[in-house]
Amino acid sequence: MKNSINLAGAYIGIIIGAGFASGQEVLQFFTSFGIYSVLGIVVATVLFAFLGMQVTQLGSTLQTRSHKSIIDHICGRFIGRVVDIIITFFLFGVTVIMIAGSGTIFEEQFGIPSMVGAIVMTVLTIGTLLLNVNKIMSIISAVTPFLFVIMIIISGYSFFTSNLSFNQIISSSSKGTAATGNWLMGSLLYVSYNITARNCHAGRNGRDLQE
């Protein structure tokens, strides 16, 4: 039970912490569709839960220690190599973006040069990767409850202090640039964007946590 909770907490933490890190994901894939964004969130939640469970069980069944085994099992060896390259490319891009974002936060919020912030985040990232999988999962799962609390506090504060009416908020959110033409496609694209990299590692970690 403890291992299942750790895995679930880490999975949720990765989706929330990394997937919504810049805020642009929320705006482009959900918020820009106005009231329909609620439906998109529901669809994404169901898909994340279902696909996360399936890939984790697959990793446990195959007793794999690498995401490549899962990819090869699903896509075949040849296409699996191509998919693995694509995943690596996107993971590298996301890492660079998040490090750059950390540097920007240091500069905007604390007046510290962005280069210093980027270096600090890089060192922390490398230090985290030097830990074993179980320790990384435990750390992420422990942080997840704090993410929920912070989101609830910020959401509550924004709701009770905003001077805009509900219709004005919907109208304002609809003016943003959407990632796609409709809310359903936006939800599916967001899930597909996150599910491959996140869940391949979740599948491998599902085996590690069961040992």
Side-chain angles (χ1 to χ4, degrees), residues 139-208:
I139 292 172
I140 297 175
S141 62
V143 171
T144 299
F146 293 99
L147 291 175
F148 275 108
V149 171
I150 292 173
M151 285 192 300
I152 292 173
I153 292 175
I154 294 176
S155 299
Y157 177 81
S158 301
F159 180 79
F160 289 108
T161 59
S162 177
N163 295 322
L164 299 176
S165 67
F166 183 76
N167 290 332
Q168 288 176 317
I169 293 175
I170 294 297
S171 176
S172 177
S173 65
S174 300
K175 295 178 181 179
T177 302
T180 186
N182 62 79
W183 64 269
L184 180 58
M185 184 58 67
S187 179
L188 295 177
L189 283 176
Y190 181 76
V191 172
S192 64
Y193 168 72
N194 282 274
I195 205 70
T196 305
R198 313 278 192 256
N199 278 346
C200 282
H201 292 292
R204 180 193 65 186
N205 295 338
R207 178 195 188 278
D208 292 333

Side-chain angles (χ1 to χ4, degrees), residues 2 53 65 75 101 116 119 135 161 175 179 191 198 204:
K2 181 180 178 181
M53 177 183 66
R65 289 188 176 275
C75 304
V116 174
I119 292 174
K135 288 183 178 179
T161 59
K175 295 178 181 179
V191 172
R198 313 278 192 256
R204 180 193 65 186

Side-chain angles (χ1 to χ4, degrees), residues 57-137:
Q57 289 180 341
L58 180 59
S60 178
T61 301
L62 295 176
Q63 293 290 289
T64 177
R65 289 188 176 275
S66 172
H67 67 281
K68 293 182 180 179
S69 300
I70 299 177
I71 295 174
D72 290 345
H73 180 80
I74 296 174
C75 304
R77 185 172 297 275
F78 177 74
I79 298 179
R81 296 284 77 79
V82 176
V83 172
D84 185 45
I85 293 173
I86 294 174
I87 291 174
T88 302
F89 173 78
F90 275 101
L91 284 176
F92 176 77
V94 169
T95 302
V96 171
I97 292 171
M98 294 186 68
I99 290 175
S102 300
T104 301
I105 291 175
F106 270 73
E107 184 173 12
E108 292 182 350
Q109 301 299 321
F110 307 108
I112 301 175
S114 60
M115 181 61 68
V116 174
I119 292 174
V120 169
M121 179 54 65
T122 302
V123 172
L124 290 175
T125 301
I126 294 174
T128 301
L129 293 175
L130 293 176
L131 301 174
N132 62 46
V133 173
N134 288 336
K135 288 183 178 179
I136 295 175
M137 298 289 283

